[in-house]
């Protein structure tokens, strides 16, 4: 069983070796197998990557994500909104759905209704893959289907 010190060293090594995260300001604290990741990353992709690396270590019991998504560059909300709209057009689960998108300083809010839960997840994933997105509020609801059965 790895000690907290070994878990910390292993995770820092994984972070430094990762092409996406190696130059990031991420600190690692470990207490009884609970990892706390602190610092600043540019986007949600980097935040997810740091979490995935921590999950690779079997002895990690839990992960506290104290990573801030903080872009130093000026966010282009119009570009983000356009990328989301294009992603929705190309995804067959989303192309016919009425989903509204609001982008405010890199933070995205999704509203509307979809036919099934897969559509809600697909919308979230499409937005989550866009580099400059800082966070997502997925307020999409799933339409309730009423089935009529005849005897």
């Amino acid at each position: 069983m790895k000690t907290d010190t070994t878990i910390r060293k292993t995770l820092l090594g994984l972070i430094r070796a990762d092409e996406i995260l190696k130059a990031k300001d991420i600190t690692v604290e470990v207490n009884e197998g609970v990892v706390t990741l602190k610092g600043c990353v540019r986007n949600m992709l980097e935040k997810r990557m740091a979490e995935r690396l921590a999950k690779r270590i079997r002895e990690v019991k839990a992960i506290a994500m104290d990573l801030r998504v903080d872009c130093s560059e000026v966010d282009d909300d119009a570009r983000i909104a356009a990328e989301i709209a294009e992603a929705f057009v190309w995804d067959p689960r989303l192309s016919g759905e009425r989903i509204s998108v609001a982008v405010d300083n890199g933070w995205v809010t999704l509203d509307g209704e979809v036919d099934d839960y897969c559509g809600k997840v697909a919308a979230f994933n499409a937005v989550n893959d866009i580099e400059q997105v800082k966070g997502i509020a997925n307020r999409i609801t799933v339409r309730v289907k009423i089935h009529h059965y005849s005897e």
Side-chain angles (χ1 to χ4, degrees), residues 2-54:
K2 292 184 179 181
T3 65
D4 289 347
T5 304
T6 308
I7 292 170
R8 182 180 178 278
K9 287 180 182 178
T10 302
L11 183 51
L12 283 171
L14 290 170
I15 289 169
R16 289 187 185 119
D18 187 86
E19 287 299 314
I20 295 172
L21 298 175
K22 67 181 177 183
K24 299 298 170 250
D25 179 26
I26 298 174
T27 60
V28 176
E29 297 173 5
V30 184
N31 184 11
E32 296 184 19
V34 177
V35 171
T36 302
L37 297 172
K38 294 183 177 183
C40 184
V41 292
R42 290 181 304 158
N43 52 53
M44 291 297 289
L45 175 65
E46 290 176 358
K47 188 172 183 175
R48 286 193 331 264
M49 180 57 70
E51 180 182 12
R52 283 188 197 132
L53 292 176

Side-chain angles (χ1 to χ4, degrees), residues 81-135:
E83 282 189 49
I84 293 169
E86 185 172 344
F88 286 4
V89 167
W90 287 102
D91 190 320
R93 296 166 297 190
L94 302 172
S95 62
E97 299 291 355
R98 293 182 46 99
I99 300 171
S100 68
V101 177
V103 184
D104 182 14
N105 198 27
W107 293 86
V108 177
T109 301
L110 301 173
D111 281 300
E113 280 188 334
V114 293
D115 285 332
D116 56 36
Y117 188 74
C118 290
K120 181 173 179 156
V121 172
F124 177 87
N125 288 339
V127 173
N128 207 24
D129 288 339
I130 296 173
E131 186 174 326
Q132 294 300 317
V133 170
K134 292 180 182 178

